[in-house]
Amino acid sequence: MKPFVHLNCAMTVDGKIATQNSCLQISGKDDLIRVHKLRLKYDAIMVGINTVIVDDPRLTVHKINADKCSNPVRIVIDSNARIPLDSRVLNDEAETVLVVSENAPEDKITLLEDKCSVIVCGESRVNLKDAMNKIYDMGIRSILLEGGSTLNFSMFKDKLIDRVTVCIGSKILGGTNSKTFVDGDGFDKDNCIQLKLENIEKIDDDVVLTYNVVY
Ligand SMILES: NC(=O)c1ccc[n+]([C@@H]2O[C@H](COP(=O)([O-])OP(=O)(O)OC[C@H]3O[C@@H](n4cnc5c(N)ncnc54)[C@H](OP(=O)(O)O)[C@@H]3O)[C@@H](O)[C@H]2O)c1
Protein backbone atom coordinates (compact mmCIF):
# COMPACT_ATOMS: atom_id res chain seq x y z
CA MET A 1 0.00 0.00 0.00
CA LYS A 2 1.10 3.57 -0.59
CA PRO A 3 -0.10 7.01 0.50
CA PHE A 4 -2.06 9.25 -1.89
CA VAL A 5 0.55 11.59 -3.43
CA HIS A 6 -0.28 15.09 -4.69
CA LEU A 7 2.55 16.95 -6.44
CA ASN A 8 2.38 20.74 -6.10
CA CYS A 9 4.79 23.01 -7.93
CA ALA A 10 5.22 26.62 -8.99
CA MET A 11 6.79 27.16 -12.39
CA THR A 12 7.38 30.02 -14.80
CA VAL A 13 5.55 30.29 -18.12
CA ASP A 14 8.59 28.55 -19.68
CA GLY A 15 8.44 25.64 -17.21
CA LYS A 16 11.34 26.59 -14.93
CA ILE A 17 11.09 26.00 -11.19
CA ALA A 18 14.31 27.76 -10.14
CA THR A 19 17.06 29.97 -11.50
CA GLN A 20 20.50 28.46 -12.09
CA ASN A 21 22.06 30.10 -9.07
CA SER A 22 19.70 32.21 -7.01
CA CYS A 23 16.43 31.97 -5.09
CA LEU A 24 13.26 33.28 -6.72
CA GLN A 25 9.63 33.39 -5.63
CA ILE A 26 7.80 32.19 -8.74
CA SER A 27 4.17 32.58 -7.70
CA GLY A 28 2.46 35.43 -5.85
CA LYS A 29 1.56 35.96 -2.17
CA ASP A 30 -1.96 34.58 -2.57
CA ASP A 31 -0.68 31.42 -4.20
CA LEU A 32 1.62 30.85 -1.20
CA ILE A 33 -1.45 31.08 1.02
CA ARG A 34 -3.14 28.47 -1.23
CA VAL A 35 -0.13 26.17 -0.79
CA HIS A 36 -0.14 26.54 2.99
CA LYS A 37 -3.88 25.76 3.10
CA LEU A 38 -3.14 22.71 0.95
CA ARG A 39 -0.33 21.60 3.32
CA LEU A 40 -2.86 21.49 6.15
CA LYS A 41 -4.87 18.83 4.29
CA TYR A 42 -1.97 16.36 4.05
CA ASP A 43 -0.37 14.01 6.57
CA ALA A 44 3.11 14.79 5.20
CA ILE A 45 5.10 17.11 2.92
CA MET A 46 7.95 15.51 0.95
CA VAL A 47 10.99 16.94 -0.89
CA GLY A 48 14.30 15.77 -2.35
CA ILE A 49 17.58 16.54 -0.59
CA ASN A 50 18.74 19.12 -3.15
CA THR A 51 15.69 21.25 -2.37
CA VAL A 52 16.66 21.19 1.31
CA ILE A 53 20.27 22.09 0.50
CA VAL A 54 19.40 24.88 -1.97
CA ASP A 55 16.30 26.44 -0.36
CA ASP A 56 16.54 25.39 3.31
CA PRO A 57 12.70 25.36 3.57
CA ARG A 58 10.84 25.00 6.88
CA LEU A 59 8.08 22.91 5.26
CA THR A 60 5.54 24.01 7.87
CA VAL A 61 2.21 25.81 7.72
CA HIS A 62 3.24 29.37 8.57
CA LYS A 63 1.67 31.69 5.95
CA ILE A 64 -1.77 31.21 7.53
CA ASN A 65 -2.92 30.95 11.12
CA ALA A 66 -2.50 27.34 12.20
CA ASP A 67 -1.70 25.43 15.35
CA LYS A 68 1.88 24.15 15.51
CA CYS A 69 0.51 20.65 16.15
CA SER A 70 -1.29 20.74 12.80
CA ASN A 71 2.01 20.81 10.89
CA PRO A 72 2.31 17.77 8.61
CA VAL A 73 5.24 15.38 9.00
CA ARG A 74 8.20 16.44 6.83
CA ILE A 75 9.81 13.76 4.64
CA VAL A 76 13.22 14.22 2.97
CA ILE A 77 14.57 11.77 0.37
CA ASP A 78 18.35 11.69 0.91
CA SER A 79 20.26 8.52 -0.10
CA ASN A 80 23.56 9.48 1.50
CA ALA A 81 22.34 11.47 4.52
CA ARG A 82 23.82 14.67 3.03
CA ILE A 83 21.34 16.83 4.92
CA PRO A 84 23.10 19.62 6.89
CA LEU A 85 22.48 19.18 10.62
CA ASP A 86 21.36 22.81 10.91
CA SER A 87 18.71 22.51 8.17
CA ARG A 88 15.46 24.21 9.14
CA VAL A 89 13.57 21.05 8.22
CA LEU A 90 15.24 19.44 11.28
CA ASN A 91 13.93 22.09 13.69
CA ASP A 92 11.32 21.24 16.32
CA GLU A 93 8.38 22.85 14.50
CA ALA A 94 7.27 19.47 13.14
CA GLU A 95 8.29 15.82 12.99
CA THR A 96 10.70 14.85 10.22
CA VAL A 97 11.36 11.50 8.55
CA LEU A 98 14.64 11.21 6.66
CA VAL A 99 14.67 8.43 4.05
CA VAL A 100 18.20 7.19 3.32
CA SER A 101 19.78 4.23 1.51
CA GLU A 102 22.11 1.57 2.90
CA ASN A 103 24.93 3.79 1.60
CA ALA A 104 24.35 6.49 4.19
CA PRO A 105 27.23 6.78 6.69
CA GLU A 106 26.32 5.35 10.10
CA ASP A 107 28.01 8.12 12.09
CA LYS A 108 25.89 10.77 10.33
CA ILE A 109 22.73 8.68 10.91
CA THR A 110 23.54 8.52 14.64
CA LEU A 111 23.79 12.33 14.76
CA LEU A 112 20.55 12.71 12.80
CA GLU A 113 18.58 10.33 14.99
CA ASP A 114 18.62 13.00 17.74
CA LYS A 115 16.69 15.32 15.39
CA CYS A 116 14.43 13.10 13.26
CA SER A 117 13.35 9.55 12.41
CA VAL A 118 15.57 7.80 9.87
CA ILE A 119 14.34 4.96 7.65
CA VAL A 120 16.48 2.94 5.23
CA CYS A 121 15.08 2.04 1.78
CA GLY A 122 17.27 0.84 -1.10
CA GLU A 123 20.94 -0.02 -1.53
CA SER A 124 22.75 2.95 -3.08
CA ARG A 125 19.78 5.21 -3.87
CA VAL A 126 16.46 5.54 -2.09
CA ASN A 127 13.97 2.98 -3.45
CA LEU A 128 10.88 5.15 -3.65
CA LYS A 129 8.32 2.32 -3.91
CA ASP A 130 9.77 0.74 -0.77
CA ALA A 131 9.80 4.16 0.91
CA MET A 132 6.12 4.73 0.11
CA ASN A 133 5.24 1.30 1.59
CA LYS A 134 7.15 1.99 4.79
CA ILE A 135 5.73 5.50 5.10
CA TYR A 136 2.21 4.10 4.67
CA ASP A 137 2.94 1.56 7.42
CA MET A 138 3.94 4.49 9.68
CA GLY A 139 0.34 5.72 9.37
CA ILE A 140 0.94 8.42 6.72
CA ARG A 141 -1.94 8.18 4.23
CA SER A 142 -1.39 11.32 2.14
CA ILE A 143 1.67 13.26 0.97
CA LEU A 144 2.04 16.69 -0.62
CA LEU A 145 5.15 16.32 -2.81
CA GLU A 146 6.94 19.66 -3.28
CA GLY A 147 9.83 18.81 -5.64
CA GLY A 148 12.42 19.26 -6.87
CA SER A 149 12.55 18.24 -10.49
CA THR A 150 14.75 15.14 -10.03
CA LEU A 151 12.50 13.63 -7.36
CA ASN A 152 9.40 14.61 -9.37
CA PHE A 153 10.68 12.57 -12.34
CA SER A 154 11.47 9.49 -10.25
CA MET A 155 8.10 9.62 -8.52
CA PHE A 156 6.34 9.78 -11.92
CA LYS A 157 8.56 6.99 -13.28
CA ASP A 158 7.58 4.73 -10.38
CA LYS A 159 3.89 5.65 -10.90
CA LEU A 160 3.61 7.00 -7.36
CA ILE A 161 1.94 10.37 -8.10
CA ASP A 162 -1.88 10.57 -8.11
CA ARG A 163 -2.61 14.28 -8.52
CA VAL A 164 -0.67 17.25 -9.90
CA THR A 165 -1.14 20.96 -9.24
CA VAL A 166 0.99 23.41 -11.18
CA CYS A 167 0.91 27.13 -10.48
CA ILE A 168 2.12 29.06 -13.52
CA GLY A 169 3.59 32.35 -12.35
CA SER A 170 3.71 35.23 -14.83
CA LYS A 171 7.47 35.13 -15.30
CA ILE A 172 9.96 33.79 -17.84
CA LEU A 173 13.40 32.65 -16.71
CA GLY A 174 14.98 30.78 -19.60
CA GLY A 175 18.34 29.11 -19.14
CA THR A 176 19.34 25.73 -20.55
CA ASN A 177 20.58 24.61 -17.16
CA SER A 178 17.72 25.99 -15.07
CA LYS A 179 15.61 23.25 -13.45
CA THR A 180 12.25 22.51 -15.03
CA PHE A 181 9.14 21.06 -13.39
CA VAL A 182 10.26 17.48 -14.24
CA ASP A 183 13.85 16.69 -15.24
CA GLY A 184 15.61 13.31 -14.79
CA ASP A 185 16.06 11.09 -17.87
CA GLY A 186 12.68 12.07 -19.30
CA PHE A 187 10.02 9.84 -20.87
CA ASP A 188 9.64 8.95 -24.53
CA LYS A 189 6.46 9.22 -26.58
CA ASP A 190 5.29 5.73 -25.63
CA ASN A 191 5.56 6.11 -21.87
CA CYS A 192 4.94 9.80 -21.20
CA ILE A 193 2.67 10.62 -18.28
CA GLN A 194 -0.97 11.29 -19.20
CA LEU A 195 -2.98 13.79 -17.19
CA LYS A 196 -6.67 14.62 -16.96
CA LEU A 197 -7.42 18.29 -16.32
CA GLU A 198 -9.69 18.71 -13.27
CA ASN A 199 -9.56 22.41 -12.41
CA ILE A 200 -8.37 25.83 -13.58
CA GLU A 201 -8.09 28.73 -11.14
CA LYS A 202 -6.82 32.28 -11.65
CA ILE A 203 -5.11 33.78 -8.60
CA ASP A 204 -4.01 37.37 -9.31
CA ASP A 205 -1.51 37.00 -12.18
CA ASP A 206 -1.01 33.26 -11.57
CA VAL A 207 -2.89 30.32 -13.11
CA VAL A 208 -3.33 27.17 -11.03
CA LEU A 209 -4.01 23.95 -12.94
CA THR A 210 -4.96 20.69 -11.22
CA TYR A 211 -4.81 17.32 -12.94
CA ASN A 212 -5.36 13.70 -12.01
CA VAL A 213 -2.71 11.31 -13.30
CA VAL A 214 -3.91 8.59 -15.69
CA TYR A 215 -1.72 5.46 -15.54
N1 LIG B 1 9.29 26.06 -7.79
C1 LIG B 1 9.04 25.03 -7.02
O1 LIG B 1 7.85 24.71 -6.79
C2 LIG B 1 10.16 24.25 -6.43
C3 LIG B 1 9.86 23.26 -5.49
C4 LIG B 1 10.91 22.51 -4.98
C5 LIG B 1 12.19 22.72 -5.42
N2 LIG B 1 12.45 23.67 -6.32
C6 LIG B 1 13.83 23.87 -6.80
O2 LIG B 1 14.31 22.63 -7.30
C7 LIG B 1 15.72 22.59 -7.17
C8 LIG B 1 16.13 21.24 -6.61
O3 LIG B 1 15.71 20.24 -7.51
P1 LIG B 1 16.69 19.04 -7.86
O4 LIG B 1 16.11 18.34 -9.02
O5 LIG B 1 18.09 19.54 -7.98
O6 LIG B 1 16.68 18.15 -6.56
P2 LIG B 1 15.57 17.39 -5.68
O7 LIG B 1 14.59 16.72 -6.56
O8 LIG B 1 15.12 18.31 -4.61
O9 LIG B 1 16.49 16.29 -4.97
C9 LIG B 1 17.05 15.29 -5.80
C10 LIG B 1 17.96 14.40 -5.01
O10 LIG B 1 17.19 13.50 -4.22
C11 LIG B 1 17.97 12.36 -4.00
N3 LIG B 1 17.27 11.11 -4.29
C12 LIG B 1 17.40 9.99 -3.54
N4 LIG B 1 16.74 9.00 -4.08
C13 LIG B 1 16.17 9.47 -5.20
C14 LIG B 1 15.37 8.87 -6.20
N5 LIG B 1 14.99 7.60 -6.14
N6 LIG B 1 14.98 9.62 -7.24
C15 LIG B 1 15.33 10.92 -7.30
N7 LIG B 1 16.09 11.56 -6.40
C16 LIG B 1 16.51 10.81 -5.35
C17 LIG B 1 19.17 12.43 -4.95
O11 LIG B 1 20.32 12.82 -4.22
P3 LIG B 1 21.14 11.65 -3.47
O12 LIG B 1 21.50 10.67 -4.53
O13 LIG B 1 22.30 12.32 -2.85
O14 LIG B 1 20.21 11.09 -2.46
C18 LIG B 1 18.78 13.52 -5.91
O15 LIG B 1 19.87 14.19 -6.47
C19 LIG B 1 16.10 23.75 -6.26
O16 LIG B 1 16.70 24.75 -7.04
C20 LIG B 1 14.78 24.24 -5.71
O17 LIG B 1 14.79 25.65 -5.51
C21 LIG B 1 11.47 24.44 -6.84
Side-chain angles (χ1 to χ4, degrees):
M1 297 290 277
K2 75 163 198 74
F4 180 87
V5 178
H6 183 170
L7 168 56
N8 183 79
C9 172
M11 68 179 195
T12 60
V13 170
D14 53 331
K16 307 295 183 187
I17 65 163
T19 60
Q20 285 176 53
N21 45 26
S22 63
C23 265
L24 168 82
Q25 189 63 54
I26 290 172
S27 60
K29 193 165 92 357
D30 288 345
D31 183 61
L32 285 185
I33 290 169
R34 176 192 66 80
V35 173
H36 282 242
K37 285 182 181 162
L38 194 60
R39 285 180 176 181
L40 267 185
K41 294 183 180 166
Y42 285 83
D43 292 340
I45 305 169
M46 184 169 101
V47 295
I49 182 57
N50 291 349
T51 295
V52 171
I53 290 170
V54 173
D55 295 347
D56 194 19
R58 287 157 71 186
L59 298 185
T60 56
V61 180
H62 56 269
K63 301 279 184 205
I64 55 173
N65 282 333
D67 206 310
K68 185 178 163 184
C69 58
S70 55
N71 277 327
V73 174
R74 302 173 288 196
I75 302 170
V76 180
I77 304 296
D78 180 13
S79 312
N80 301 299
R82 291 191 285 135
I83 190 167
L85 290 168
D86 60 354
S87 298
R88 298 202 297 177
V89 80
L90 295 175
N91 67 19
D92 62 5
E93 290 178 341
E95 278 179 56
T96 298
V97 176
L98 189 74
V99 187
V100 301
S101 72
E102 289 165 18
N103 240 10
E106 278 185 24
D107 50 347
K108 180 75 178 283
I109 291 179
T110 306
L111 291 173
L112 285 163
E113 278 171 340
D114 279 344
K115 295 168 176 279
C116 65
S117 311
V118 180
I119 60 172
V120 181
C121 304
E123 287 176 17
S124 57
R125 198 179 203 207
V126 172
N127 178 321
L128 294 169
K129 287 184 181 166
D130 185 24
M132 289 299 107
N133 278 326
K134 286 188 174 151
I135 286 165
Y136 184 90
D137 289 344
M138 293 166 79
I140 292 172
R141 297 291 185 262
S142 60
I143 294 176
L144 187 65
L145 171 62
E146 295 200 23
S149 47
T150 308
L151 182 60
N152 292 348
F153 173 75
S154 296
M155 289 289 288
F156 275 125
K157 191 173 179 203
D158 284 349
K159 298 184 167 38
L160 295 169
I161 298 177
D162 302 286
R163 183 173 296 158
V164 176
T165 296
V166 186
C167 174
I168 303 173
S170 296
K171 292 185 171 75
I172 290 179
L173 271 174
T176 309
N177 297 321
S178 297
K179 294 270 168 191
T180 67
F181 173 33
V182 180
D183 286 338
D185 295 335
F187 298 106
D188 62 33
K189 63 182 172 57
D190 296 324
N191 64 5
C192 73
I193 302 297
Q194 296 288 341
L195 304 172
K196 183 171 186 320
L197 183 62
E198 295 293 330
N199 195 51
I200 303 174
E201 191 183 358
K202 180 181 178 302
I203 303 180
D204 302 326
D205 274 346
D206 300 333
V207 180
V208 181
L209 304 172
T210 297
Y211 301 86
N212 284 330
V213 183
V214 183
Y215 290 117

